[in-house]
Amino acid sequence: MSALAIVARVCLVVLFPFSGLDKIVHWDTAMEQAESSPLGGARAMLIAGIIIEFTTPVCIVILWHPVIASLVLSAFCVATAILFHPFWQFPGFWSGGNAEGAAHFWDFLKNFGLVGGLLLVVAGSLAVPAPAAHHALPGAHTATQVAPKASTRHGP
């Protein structure tokens, strides 16, 4: 993997471990937010979120099951956007300023920006490299076509 690809992956996922750490350090605040979800199981949801935020970025950067890790983290980002940043529930979310709805709107969009980057990791990981013959000089053929196979026959 190129240095640029490593830097890109690190930049894409660097915020997640810090977010997981923030949830641990500020457990009560994180629990309040988790309890605001229409889903039940706030404690389990919070613990799962912390585990996802610590493990999937490492998997993505070191390329250990990057497709699975990227898909899990993408689903996490979508769920977080929908459950915790429902900007549409706030009047005047587009009016700007420091309105709560505006903050949710931008966080919602940022989550989907991250989803786009994570899906690019998936697409890049699933891309099938072109056969080596396509990387040869124009007019070149594969080795079996250029050099005839040596005969194993001895004698006349």
Side-chain angles (χ1 to χ4, degrees), residues 19 69 72 89 117 120:
S19 177
V72 168
Q89 294 178 356
L120 284 173

Side-chain angles (χ1 to χ4, degrees), residues 54-116:
F54 277 119
T55 58
T56 56
V58 174
C59 294
I60 291 166
V61 171
I62 68 169
L63 295 177
W64 190 72
H65 300 289
V67 171
I68 294 169
S70 295
L71 290 173
V72 168
L73 198 50
S74 290
F76 175 79
C77 288
V78 168
T80 300
I82 293 170
L83 293 173
F84 301 110
H85 301 295
F87 67 90
W88 55 89
Q89 294 178 356
F90 298 89
F93 69 85
W94 189 245
S95 62
N98 292 327
E100 186 178 7
H104 283 295
F105 176 71
W106 293 114
D107 286 341
F108 184 91
L109 291 181
K110 286 176 190 176
N111 274 23
F112 277 91
L114 288 166
V115 169

Side-chain angles (χ1 to χ4, degrees), residues 9 15 19 36 50 57 61 85:
R9 287 171 187 258
L15 71 95
S19 177
S36 73
I50 291 168
V61 171
H85 301 295

